[in-house]
Amino acid sequence: MPVIRTISKVAKQALLSTPGCGCQPLTVAVRTISFSPRQVTSDASFHSVSFSETDHPKVLITGGLGQLGVGLAKLLRKRFGKNNVILSDIRKPPNNVFHSGPFIYSDILDYKNLREIVVNNRITWLVHYSALLSAVGEANVALARSVNITGLHNILDIAAEHGLRLFVPSTIGAFGPSSPRNPTPDMCVQRPRTIYGVSKVHAELMGEYYHHRYGLDFRCLRYPGIISADSMPGGGTTDYAVQIFHDAIKTGKFECNLRPDSRLPMMYIDDCLRATLEVMETPADTLSMRTYNINAMSFTPEELAQELRKQMPELEVTYNIDPVRQAIGKHPFSTNIFVIFLQMSLLCCHLGKKRCLCSKHINKCYILSALFVL
């Protein structure tokens, strides 16, 4: 027995010694090429689970109570089944969301909690929507850095460790003043000047690195401003294009924090979610890149207000310029009002599409017909 105890003690010291980086003991570095370099607990158990191509994916959506999560969950549940899509967030869901399908508490800054969710629910696809958007991020840079960068690192490590297909949206905010315009190519100089934009460039590059280093199936689309009627704005610079509809119907008045001539790219939420599903379903060997631009139309606050006044002549729009938001609102991707983006993105070709993903009968009445259900 003393011999066994001695051998056990030596083995434990060899495996569980404190690493030179100062990390806590009781961890073992995972070195298998299909795993991330994240250190995992010594009592972790790994099970290799194979899925046939005919099986539906098991999807986890983080940040699910934001502008896009609920809509994407609804779309994916129609395709893959109600119980195969889990919505998650750190906030309490409203009743209609809670009863529409599986919902779970998930904090992306809690690595252990997130890992348990992936393992216990046998997740195969992960859609990472948790983030602080541009204007909110500038108001709290420390929190934005924590959520948008540290949280992303947790997501990347877990996705690589468990062989997940990972979607992380990027943004037009990932471009900067020096980026080329009209059209903006998929690969070009970026250099953003907000913590949100910087964190999204970081996400694009880290996702690409994990793809080449660990074989992670990482996919990314640079979203423009997204227009929807069934969720409130979440702190982005383009949110005025959603808020104006809510205020117009509730009060008949709207105060815009951008200049009336600030032209920004936009997309209707249905097109955005459809594009996200299509890029996730695309065979990996047909994607030559990991990040693509996607766009639909561009317009200014004044042009949008003019269209709204055709339906609500009494609408009052005033302008109280926010210097921070106005500085953020200088993006590439500019196109004429309600005109389909002229660049045929490489993504369309890779998906085998004969038309742009966003060309769903866009015209001057498009937003009005889509959103006057409020």
Side-chain angles (χ1 to χ4, degrees), residues 19-39:
C21 64
C23 300
Q24 294 298 317
L26 300 180
T27 58
V28 178
V30 178
R31 301 190 182 279
T32 308
I33 191 65
S34 61
F35 285 177
S36 77
R38 174 69 66 113
Q39 291 184 322

Side-chain angles (χ1 to χ4, degrees), residues 40-57:
V40 297
T41 55
S42 59
D43 61 347
S45 60
F46 296 91
H47 301 275
S48 177
V49 182
S50 60
F51 296 88
S52 70
E53 293 183 356
T54 57
D55 287 334
H56 289 315

Side-chain angles (χ1 to χ4, degrees), residues 150-171:
T150 303
L152 170 76
H153 293 172
N154 289 340
I155 292 291
L156 287 169
D157 284 344
I158 289 171
E161 178 182 334
H162 296 284
L164 309 184
R165 178 170 294 182
L166 173 63
F167 179 83
V168 179
S170 187
T171 169

Side-chain angles (χ1 to χ4, degrees), residues 35-330:
F35 285 177
S36 77
R38 174 69 66 113
Q39 291 184 322
V40 297
T41 55
S42 59
D43 61 347
S45 60
F46 296 91
H47 301 275
S48 177
V49 182
S50 60
F51 296 88
S52 70
E53 293 183 356
T54 57
D55 287 334
H56 289 315
K58 194 66 178 289
V59 185
L60 174 67
I61 303 173
T62 67
L65 296 183
Q67 184 184 16
L68 300 176
V70 173
L72 183 63
K74 183 178 179 181
L75 177 65
L76 296 181
R77 284 166 179 164
K78 287 182 179 178
R79 177 69 62 92
F80 304 129
K82 177 179 178 179
N83 294 325
N84 285 323
V85 180
I86 301 175
L87 205 59
S88 72
D89 209 304
I90 60 173
R91 294 179 291 159
K92 181 180 178 181
N95 288 335
N96 65 309
V97 174
F98 183 77
H99 293 293
S100 64
F103 181 91
I104 194 168
Y105 173 88
S106 175
D107 181 357
I108 62 168
L109 297 178
D110 187 338
Y111 179 82
K112 184 175 182 293
N113 167 254
L114 191 61
R115 191 163 173 263
E116 286 177 349
I117 292 171
V118 168
V119 171
N120 292 341
N121 293 282
R122 302 176 71 194
I123 299 300
T124 56
W125 284 14
L126 202 165
V127 178
H128 180 48
Y129 275 155
S130 294
L132 262 66
L133 302 185
S134 54
V136 174
E138 289 304 295
N140 194 335
V141 173
L143 181 60
R145 187 174 61 238
S146 178
V147 173
N148 295 6
I149 296 179
T150 303
L152 170 76
H153 293 172
N154 289 340
I155 292 291
L156 287 169
D157 284 344
I158 289 171
E161 178 182 334
H162 296 284
L164 309 184
R165 178 170 294 182
L166 173 63
F167 179 83
V168 179
S170 187
T171 169
I172 56 173
F175 297 107
S178 58
S179 301
R181 299 170 178 259
N182 297 328
T184 302
D186 291 299
M187 296 185 68
C188 66
V189 173
Q190 294 181 257
R191 295 295 187 273
R193 293 182 178 177
T194 66
I195 186 60
Y196 178 57
V198 169
S199 69
K200 285 303 183 179
V201 173
H202 177 77
E204 294 176 16
L205 295 176
M206 287 294 288
E208 186 173 333
Y209 171 77
Y210 268 62
H211 170 67
H212 291 295
R213 178 68 176 82
Y214 302 109
L216 173 63
D217 189 356
F218 173 83
R219 302 168 185 222
C220 179
L221 295 175
R222 294 188 185 109
Y223 288 164
I226 305 302
I227 303 174
S228 62
D230 54 1
S231 60
M232 294 301 293
T237 306
T238 56
D239 282 350
Y240 84 86
V242 177
Q243 190 66 53
I244 189 172
F245 288 95
H246 291 274
D247 290 358
I249 292 174
K250 291 178 181 177
T251 68
K253 299 179 181 180
F254 175 68
E255 182 179 272
C256 183
N257 47 35
L258 296 177
R259 291 198 313 264
D261 60 347
S262 301
R263 187 175 300 279
L264 291 169
M266 305 284 180
M267 176 178 283
Y268 182 52
I269 188 170
D270 286 1
D271 291 325
C272 172
L273 299 180
R274 177 167 53 86
T276 302
L277 174 58
E278 289 182 353
V279 79
M280 284 296 282
E281 289 188 317
T282 302
D285 58 3
T286 65
L287 297 174
S288 67
M289 297 188 299
R290 293 288 125 184
T291 301
Y292 297 91
N293 295 337
I294 185 169
N295 194 32
M297 53 192 167
S298 295
F299 53 83
T300 68
E302 178 58 29
E303 289 169 336
L304 181 58
Q306 289 175 1
E307 293 298 321
L308 273 169
R309 289 193 184 101
K310 293 178 181 179
Q311 305 292 326
M312 303 179 66
E314 69 283 2
L315 174 64
E316 296 180 17
V317 178
T318 58
Y319 296 90
N320 183 14
I321 311 305
D322 180 347
V324 175
R325 288 180 183 256
Q326 187 62 55
I328 295 171
K330 295 179 180 179

